[in-house]
């Protein structure tokens, strides 16, 4: 064989019955024809047939067809025409779809769900602010704006936007820890909120939600489990009433165990009692679920419903009872706050609804301890946060979209992933003007929302109003909340996030998936979160790319050829040994060197030299590097008067070789 020639193509394409050039390829050889538009919709074809081109030249006719089919050539004009439409406006403002059908039954369901979630998020918000290493009021500031904004732009009726344990941990990692002083941590956290919101909104507008698909489930599971352990153990010092415990995990473990003799018995007892009560109420909630008690009499159904609501709002119940108990001991029995002789309380929480103001990117104050002034501008703050903008953005959208898809599938409705990004981005951007740190969807509160009968995204309005009422009226009473109680709330919330049950499943399905899980888990735990996520994602992508560089091959040695099954080419009619190499998957540039080595090994290096048939039936297409590799092999075989044949049902490989070479 003297290489692959263009005139040989028509014969060799008939080697297999399915190896016919596609209609679109034939039409390309003939010129413009109806086959060029075989992939268009029937309505578009109808418009094409009705075009009037009788008095125009061929060029004008084709230009007119292109303009009607594809729109204006100017991409900006085409984008504007597609963007500013009624259908797109409905997609960008989903509330216009459900608002006209809003009725009393929707109002009642949203009211009950919103109030229930509100009672849950108030103690959770204050507790999560501890994880973020921010004053307690910032957890409340982060809990109300998201409900109002998501109501207008979100597509899920169940999801609730607000502070979460994982986002709080990331804020502590990238904002509070990077701030020069503890007083500057809110400035860093609010700046992080604004930039992450803008990034999320931009990703939604540019339809970049697919980026999160490159974060595999084992990576997510490893990160979530390590985050749960980090968060839970960080609260042990609050539970035991210990001071001066470092934040890094390994030093934190060492310091905690070394300081156990300094344990505050009041805090330890309070935390232990709260954990027991919260666990019991969680179990009781499963037993008194009204959906499982439909056959009971009406009175018992009411009792069970009340018990279910009480257990659902168990965090608020425990916090209120413990705060009342502490206030009685302080105000009536005269216990002194401070030291190991009494409970460690939350202390003063700034009261009043925050007035909206743009985030500041400037810090300047004088440090009396060092007698130096600290000044940081926007560039310094952005540099300090660094990769935190990317990590918080991706984890936030990953968490929110995963939750939204889970409950959409469970409750049988559809969501728009890119619109969810836009809703979350706008929620974060506007929340930053109300002193919020980054927010996302909360799985636990979304589950409560769904179980409480949420009918539309309007339930977030009632959640936001509940939090605003607490900020305006109840903040003076938050002084008496024991820190051990908030620690118990956090520990009980995050421990179920440790996904140990997934390990045997991955072991049975694919053992290799355990590697990114354990790599992410260990690095997040022992180094830090960003390196853990990067390590896990990197290893997952390596597992994804490696099979492309070593494609699975089926190699068959034939002693003779059936000459009737091949083109009538005298150079291959003589019986001889032939090697048929068939990749079982598509071929891309990482795997071309591997294919070349196999071809050269079986066709040239092994004596005697053999003819090679490369069966490319699984190739969906080829990139330039792949084409160059196949060309080099073809030229080598041609130069040494050896036979190298490519057979494939698709026209893409041969046509590309012909056109480029």
């Amino acid at each position: 064989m003297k290489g692959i020639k263009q005139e040989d193509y028509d014969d060799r394409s008939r080697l297999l019955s399915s190896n016919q050039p596609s209609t679109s390829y034939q039409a390309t050889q003939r010129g413009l024809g109806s086959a060029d538009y075989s992939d268009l919709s029937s309505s578009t074809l109808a418009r094409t047939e009705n075009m009037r081109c009788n008095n125009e030249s061929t060029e004008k006719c084709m230009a007119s067809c292109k303009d009607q089919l594809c729109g204006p050539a100017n991409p900006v004009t085409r984008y504007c025409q597609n963007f500013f439409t009624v259908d797109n406006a409905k997609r960008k403002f989903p509330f216009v779809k459900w608002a006209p059908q809003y009725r009393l039954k929707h109002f009642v369901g949203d009211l009950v769900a919103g109030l229930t979630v509100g009672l849950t998020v108030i103690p959770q918000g204050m507790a999560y602010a501890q994880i973020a290493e921010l004053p307690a009021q910032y957890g409340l500031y982060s809990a109300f704006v998201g409900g109002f904004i998501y109501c207008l732009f979100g597509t899920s009726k169940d999801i609730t936007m607000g502070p979460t344990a994982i986002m709080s941990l990331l804020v502590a990692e990238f904002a509070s820890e990077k701030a020069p002083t503890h007083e500057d941590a809110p400035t860093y956290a609010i700046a992080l909120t604004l930039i992450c919101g803008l990034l999320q909104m931009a990703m939604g507008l540019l339809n970049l939600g697919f980026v999160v698909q490159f974060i595999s489930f084992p990576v997510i599971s490893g990160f979530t489990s390590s985050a749960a352990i980090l968060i839970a153990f960080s609260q042990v010092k609050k539970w035991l009433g210990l001071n001066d415990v470092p934040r890094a995990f390994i030093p934190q473990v060492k310091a905690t165990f070394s300081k156990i003799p300094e344990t505050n018995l009041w805090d330890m007892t309070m935390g232990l009692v709260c954990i027991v009560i919260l666990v019991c109420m969680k179990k009781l909630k499963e037993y008194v679920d009204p959906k499982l008690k439909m056959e009971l009499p009406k009175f018992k159904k009411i009792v069970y419903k009340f018990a279910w609501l009480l257990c659902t709002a168990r965090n608020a119940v425990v916090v209120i009872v413990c705060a009342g108990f502490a206030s009685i001991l302080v105000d009536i029995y005269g216990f002194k706050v401070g030291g190991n002789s009494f409970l460690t309380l939350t202390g003063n929480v700034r009261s009043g609804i925050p007035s909206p103001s743009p985030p500041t990117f400037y810090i300047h104050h004088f440090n009396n301890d060092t007698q130096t002034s600290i000044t940081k501008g926007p560039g310094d703050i952005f540099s300090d946060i660094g990769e935190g903008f990317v990590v918080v953005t991706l984890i936030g959208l990953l968490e929110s979209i995963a939750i939204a898809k889970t409950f959409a599938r469970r409750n049988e409705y559809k969501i728009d992933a890119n619109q969810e990004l836009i809703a979350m981005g706008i929620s974060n951007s506007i929340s930053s003007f109300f002193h919020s740190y980054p927010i996302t969807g909360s799985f636990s509160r979304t589950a409560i929302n769904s179980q409480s009968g949420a009918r539309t995204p309007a339930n977030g309005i009632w959640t936001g109003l509940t939090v605003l009422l607490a900020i305006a009226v109840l903040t003076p009473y938050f002084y008496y909340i024991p820190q051990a109680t908030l620690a118990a709330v956090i520990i009980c919330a995050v421990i179920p996030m440790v996904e140990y049950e997934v390990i045997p499943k991955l072991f049975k399905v694919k053992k290799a998936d355990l590697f990114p899980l354990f790599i992410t888990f260990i690095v997040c735990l022992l180094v830090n979160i960003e390196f853990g996520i990067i390590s896990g994602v990197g290893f997952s992508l390596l597992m994804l790319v490696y099979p492309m560089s070593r494609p699975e091959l089926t190699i068959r040695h034939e002693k003779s050829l059936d000459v009737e099954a091949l083109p009538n080419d005298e150079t291959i009619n003589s019986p001889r040994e032939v090697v048929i190499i068939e990749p079982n998957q598509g071929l891309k540039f990482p795997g071309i060197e591997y294919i070349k080595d196999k071809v050269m090994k079986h066709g040239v290096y092994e004596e005697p030299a053999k003819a090679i048939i490369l069966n490319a039936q699984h190739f969906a297409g080829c990139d330039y590097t792949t084409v160059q590799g196949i060309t080099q092999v073809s030229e080598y075989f041609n130069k040494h008067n050896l036979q190298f044949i490519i057979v494939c049902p698709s026209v893409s490989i041969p046509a590309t070789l012909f056109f480029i070479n």
Side-chain angles (χ1 to χ4, degrees):
M1 177 180 178
K2 302 185 183 299
I4 298 178
K5 298 180 181 179
Q6 187 162 354
E7 57 266 22
D8 296 334
Y9 169 73
D10 293 331
D11 290 332
R12 288 177 182 164
S13 64
R14 300 189 188 95
L15 284 172
L16 299 175
S17 60
S18 60
N19 291 357
Q20 298 295 330
S22 65
T23 305
S24 61
Y25 175 76
Q26 296 171 354
T28 304
Q29 307 303 310
R30 295 194 305 269
L32 182 65
S34 61
D36 294 285
Y37 303 109
S38 59
D39 58 341
L40 297 177
S41 64
S42 58
S43 61
T44 307
L45 284 171
R47 291 200 301 272
T48 305
E49 294 172 357
N50 293 330
M51 293 177 182
R52 297 293 182 263
C53 303
N54 297 331
N55 300 323
E56 299 179 4
S57 64
T58 304
E59 292 78 5
K60 291 183 178 180
C61 178
M62 293 178 65
S64 176
C65 292
K66 181 179 179 181
D67 185 64
Q68 294 188 43
L69 289 168
C70 303
N74 188 335
V76 177
T77 304
R78 186 162 60 248
Y79 177 82
C80 292
Q81 288 182 351
N82 294 333
F83 186 82
F84 295 104
T85 62
V86 175
D87 291 339
N88 193 55
K90 291 181 179 180
R91 287 197 300 270
K92 300 304 179 187
F93 299 93
F95 74 94
V96 301
K97 295 181 181 179
W98 55 261
Q101 286 80 38
Y102 202 76
R103 299 293 183 267
L104 179 62
K105 61 180 181 180
H106 302 102
F107 172 80
V108 174
D110 290 340
L111 176 62
V112 173
L115 293 177
T116 305
V117 173
L119 292 175
T120 303
V121 75
I122 291 171
Q124 275 191 349
M126 298 178 63
Y128 291 156
Q130 288 190 172
I131 301 175
E133 299 180 7
L134 297 172
Q137 65 266 19
Y138 286 94
L140 299 175
Y141 297 162
S142 304
F144 71 89
V145 177
F148 295 121
I149 304 302
Y150 187 84
C151 171
L152 301 177
F153 298 98
T155 59
S156 171
K157 73 177 183 66
D158 297 307
I159 199 167
T160 61
M161 301 295 292
T164 65
I166 289 179
M167 294 302 286
S168 300
L169 180 65
L170 294 176
V171 169
E173 179 87 16
F174 296 110
S176 302
E177 187 178 346
K178 302 293 180 66
T181 65
H182 184 69
E183 291 75 16
D184 298 324
T187 301
Y188 275 64
I190 294 169
L192 180 63
T193 306
L194 176 62
I195 302 302
C196 288
L198 295 177
L199 289 175
Q200 290 166 344
M201 187 164 50
M203 292 180 68
L205 292 173
L206 296 174
N207 297 329
L208 295 178
F210 70 91
V211 172
V212 299
Q213 297 173 5
F214 289 94
I215 305 178
S216 64
F217 175 79
V219 174
I220 298 171
S221 180
F223 163 71
T224 304
S225 299
S226 63
I229 293 175
L230 288 170
I231 292 168
F233 200 84
S234 70
Q235 297 306 302
V236 173
K237 59 186 177 185
K238 304 282 187 182
W239 175 14
L240 301 180
L242 304 178
N243 299 314
D244 301 324
V245 177
R247 186 181 176 279
F249 182 69
I250 297 300
Q252 186 181 83
V253 173
K254 293 179 179 179
T256 300
F257 282 104
S258 65
K259 289 177 175 288
I260 285 180
E262 303 175 15
T263 298
N264 185 331
L265 295 179
W266 283 86
D267 288 334
M268 185 187 70
T269 305
M270 176 65 76
L272 183 61
V273 170
C274 290
I275 290 174
V276 172
I277 292 174
L278 288 170
V279 171
C280 292
M281 293 183 76
K282 182 180 180 180
K283 296 295 183 182
L284 181 62
K285 177 189 171 184
E286 298 172 359
Y287 175 75
V288 299
D289 189 344
K291 294 181 180 179
L292 304 177
K293 308 293 181 182
M294 299 300 293
E295 72 283 356
L296 293 176
K298 185 175 181 180
F299 175 75
K300 287 189 175 181
K301 286 173 63 176
I302 295 175
V303 172
Y304 275 96
K305 181 67 174 179
F306 177 77
W308 181 86
L309 289 173
L310 200 66
C311 293
T312 300
R314 57 187 177 275
N315 292 334
V317 172
V318 169
V319 168
I320 291 172
V321 171
C322 292
F325 174 74
S327 65
I328 291 174
L329 293 180
V330 172
D331 295 338
I332 298 179
Y333 292 97
F335 280 79
K336 294 183 179 180
V337 179
N340 283 354
S341 59
F342 189 61
L343 293 167
T344 304
L345 304 182
T346 299
N348 292 316
V349 177
R350 184 183 299 173
S351 61
I353 299 172
S355 56
S357 60
T360 59
F361 299 97
Y362 184 77
I363 293 174
H364 178 76
H365 56 79
F366 187 78
N367 191 327
N368 293 322
D369 296 333
T370 61
Q371 295 297 309
T372 58
S373 61
I374 299 176
T375 302
K376 285 184 175 289
D380 299 319
I381 294 176
F382 290 172
S383 177
D384 290 341
I385 297 175
E387 67 276 6
F389 291 120
V390 177
V391 174
V392 175
T393 298
L394 292 179
I395 296 300
L397 66 90
L398 176 66
E399 193 174 0
S400 185
I401 291 177
I403 294 170
K405 286 184 176 180
T406 298
F407 284 88
R409 183 172 60 253
R410 183 179 300 177
N411 295 325
E412 299 181 348
Y413 62 90
K414 292 180 64 176
I415 65 162
D416 184 341
N418 288 307
Q419 184 59 32
E420 288 296 303
L421 281 179
I422 295 173
M424 184 165 53
I426 296 176
S427 297
N428 271 304
S429 300
I430 296 180
S431 292
S432 67
F433 287 78
F434 292 87
H435 314 295
S436 165
Y437 66 82
I439 60 175
T440 186
S442 166
F443 190 89
S444 61
R445 295 196 299 273
T446 299
I448 292 172
N449 204 30
S450 178
Q451 294 170 357
S452 300
R455 307 296 292 268
T456 71
N459 62 78
I461 296 176
W462 299 106
T463 299
L465 290 175
T466 304
V467 177
L468 284 175
L469 180 64
I471 295 174
V473 178
L474 301 179
T475 45
Y477 303 100
F478 293 159
Y479 174 92
Y480 296 101
I481 298 176
Q483 287 193 5
T485 300
L486 295 179
V489 169
I490 294 172
I491 291 171
C492 292
V494 300
I495 287 298
M497 292 166 52
V498 180
E499 300 178 354
Y500 58 87
E501 72 281 356
V502 78
I503 294 177
K505 296 179 181 178
L506 292 178
F507 184 81
K508 292 180 180 179
V509 175
K510 187 177 181 182
K511 297 179 180 62
D513 283 338
L514 291 172
F515 287 103
L517 186 149
F518 285 121
I519 288 174
T520 306
F521 178 82
I522 293 171
V523 177
C524 282
L525 208 61
L526 303 182
V527 185
N528 56 35
I529 292 172
E530 65 267 30
F531 281 115
I533 295 173
I534 293 172
S535 301
V537 172
F539 193 86
S540 293
L541 294 178
L542 183 62
M543 292 175 58
L544 182 67
V545 173
Y546 183 78
M548 297 173 61
S549 66
R550 295 293 184 272
E552 185 179 350
L553 303 176
T554 299
I555 301 176
R556 302 196 308 273
H557 290 259
E558 301 290 345
K559 293 297 182 182
S560 61
L561 290 175
D562 184 0
V563 295
E564 295 180 358
L566 293 173
N568 187 17
D569 190 337
E570 296 180 357
T571 61
I572 63 171
N573 280 344
S574 58
R576 58 179 297 183
E577 187 173 2
V578 176
V579 179
I580 302 173
I581 300 177
E582 179 181 346
N584 297 334
Q585 62 191 62
L587 180 62
K588 298 298 181 183
F589 69 90
I592 186 59
E593 289 297 326
Y594 182 74
I595 296 291
K596 286 171 58 179
D597 292 342
K598 292 297 182 182
V599 170
M600 298 300 290
K601 174 185 176 182
H602 292 281
V604 178
Y605 301 146
E606 294 181 354
E607 295 292 342
K610 308 173 188 66
I612 297 292
I613 295 178
L614 179 62
N615 187 348
Q617 62 177 332
H618 296 297
F619 293 3
C622 56
D623 51 69
Y624 184 77
T625 307
T626 303
V627 171
Q628 287 294 95
I630 295 176
T631 302
Q632 291 170 7
V633 173
S634 177
E635 290 175 349
Y636 183 90
F637 273 65
N638 184 37
K639 180 179 178 181
H640 293 81
N641 198 27
L642 299 173
Q643 296 172 349
F644 176 67
I645 304 171
I646 301 177
V647 292
C648 63
S650 172
V651 74
S652 58
I653 299 290
T656 308
L657 287 169
F658 295 153
F659 294 142
I660 292 182
N661 297 286

